[in-house]
Amino acid sequence: MFKRKTIIHRKLMFILILGIIILEASLNNYVVKAEEGQKTAIFLVPHQDDELLTFGVAILDHLWNNYDVHLVLMTDGGASSANKVICDKLGFELTIEQFVEARNNEFIRSAQILGVDKDHLHFMEYKDGEITTDDVKNTILTFQEQYPNASFKATSYLDKNSSHAAVGEGLQQMYDEGKVKDARFYMTFYQFGYEPIPETGYDNYHPHFQPLIEASADVYNRWQPEFAWYAIGGHSVPMLLEKVKENPISRWHMPGFER
């Protein structure tokens, strides 16, 4: 009797495993078909938290419209003044490597909440405040090899932040040289405000984006130092995180825009 039950059990396990294999094969075929002809959008993100504050609505809107979205974190974010504030609060020093890793963890979790797969997150690790237009252009060329028809999104070259401006200027130069055909430049709401500006546009905001925006912002306020969550974004730009919850926008201008 026991032997018979064992044989039946083995047969059931075989059928179950076979079913899983068939299901995975079907899903893989489905994914391949779903990606055929899919447009790719590559966001050049200067710092951890810019994916939310500047690009949040744009990322969600592109995903909503079935784009293959990639986020390229351009700098290590190590120059943030929040480091000292947090170390004073902790009562001990964080190494720059620990600080950058903690910032990256905030970025990864925020991006995942917005809907970007972890394997679509890329880390260039240029030194914050020292990134050059050549660094940006080389990065774009690297991604063009894999995604030749991708559209590129960057922060505006008019931005007051030097890293933001360098990322935008690099993309503008690539556009001027004819190496990028589709480029948009995003304007931070904390510099350019909310008032209408001629020759600028907005990505579409949908009400169902709101919980994702809020959850993404909450990541940057997570204070659990025992698990290396230091609320770095919350210590750096607390008012901006509240503003993006209240009025989330992604405003952009086209290449060559002047103000």
Side-chain angles (χ1 to χ4, degrees):
M1 183 69 179
F2 176 76
K3 186 176 181 180
R4 185 180 177 187
K5 286 184 176 179
T6 302
I7 293 171
I8 293 172
H9 177 73
R10 286 176 178 172
K11 286 182 177 179
L12 289 172
M13 287 298 295
F14 175 77
I15 292 169
L16 178 61
I17 292 169
L18 182 62
I20 291 171
I21 292 170
I22 293 171
L23 178 61
E24 286 182 345
S26 299
L27 288 174
N28 287 337
N29 288 335
Y30 173 78
V31 169
V32 170
K33 289 177 182 177
E35 290 181 349
E36 288 178 0
Q38 189 177 30
K39 295 179 180 179
T40 298
I42 298 176
F43 290 81
L44 306 176
V45 183
H47 305 105
Q48 305 89 337
D49 71 23
D50 290 322
E51 84 289 345
L52 169 64
L53 297 176
T54 303
F55 299 115
V57 172
I59 290 168
L60 288 164
D61 189 37
H62 279 74
L63 288 168
W64 179 253
N65 285 287
N66 197 37
Y67 276 76
D68 179 34
V69 173
H70 292 256
L71 306 188
V72 183
L73 185 60
M74 298 299 291
T75 77
D76 62 6
S80 173
S81 59
N83 193 356
K84 184 179 185 309
V85 176
I86 291 166
C87 290
D88 289 344
K89 190 172 181 178
L90 291 170
F92 60 85
E93 295 293 318
L94 293 173
T95 66
I96 188 63
E97 291 78 14
Q98 289 172 323
F99 181 73
V100 168
E101 182 179 8
R103 287 206 76 179
N104 285 343
N105 287 336
E106 291 182 349
F107 168 77
I108 291 167
R109 186 66 188 123
S110 166
Q112 288 178 315
I113 289 171
L114 293 175
V116 183
D117 292 336
K118 190 173 181 178
D119 61 359
H120 282 42
L121 305 178
H122 313 274
F123 298 82
M124 302 312 298
E125 299 181 336
Y126 294 115
K127 194 167 182 181
D128 190 10
E130 298 181 15
I131 185 171
T132 67
T133 55
D134 284 341
D135 294 331
V136 178
K137 293 168 73 172
N138 289 333
T139 299
I140 293 171
L141 288 171
T142 297
F143 281 90
Q144 280 186 322
E145 290 179 5
Q146 189 170 359
Y147 307 101
N149 298 315
S151 59
F152 285 86
K153 327 290 180 179
T155 40
S156 174
Y157 45 80
L158 299 174
D159 202 293
K160 292 179 180 178
N161 181 281
S162 63
S163 293
H164 288 204
V167 173
E169 182 58 36
L171 179 57
Q172 177 67 55
Q173 289 183 17
M174 290 291 283
Y175 181 85
D176 290 341
E177 294 166 11
K179 296 175 182 175
V180 170
K181 303 299 182 185
D182 189 344
R184 285 188 181 179
F185 301 84
Y186 284 77
M187 309 166 75
T188 56
F189 66 84
Y190 45 91
Q191 177 177 335
F192 297 96
Y194 295 100
E195 295 300 317
I197 299 175
E199 299 182 49
T200 64
Y202 298 85
D203 286 272
N204 293 321
Y205 170 80
H206 301 274
H208 58 266
F209 291 171
Q210 189 62 33
L212 301 175
I213 294 285
E214 292 181 6
S216 178
D218 288 342
V219 168
Y220 285 103
N221 285 312
R222 181 178 175 184
W223 177 258
Q224 287 182 296
E226 64 273 24
F227 299 111
W229 289 96
Y230 302 116
I232 298 172
H235 285 89
S236 176
V237 288
M239 292 183 65
L240 300 186
L241 290 171
E242 289 305 310
K243 282 284 188 184
V244 78
K245 289 182 181 182
E246 295 169 8
N247 191 7
I249 65 168
S250 288
R251 188 210 300 258
W252 48 265
H253 63 75
M254 298 300 288
F257 174 80
E258 296 180 358
R259 191 179 183 208

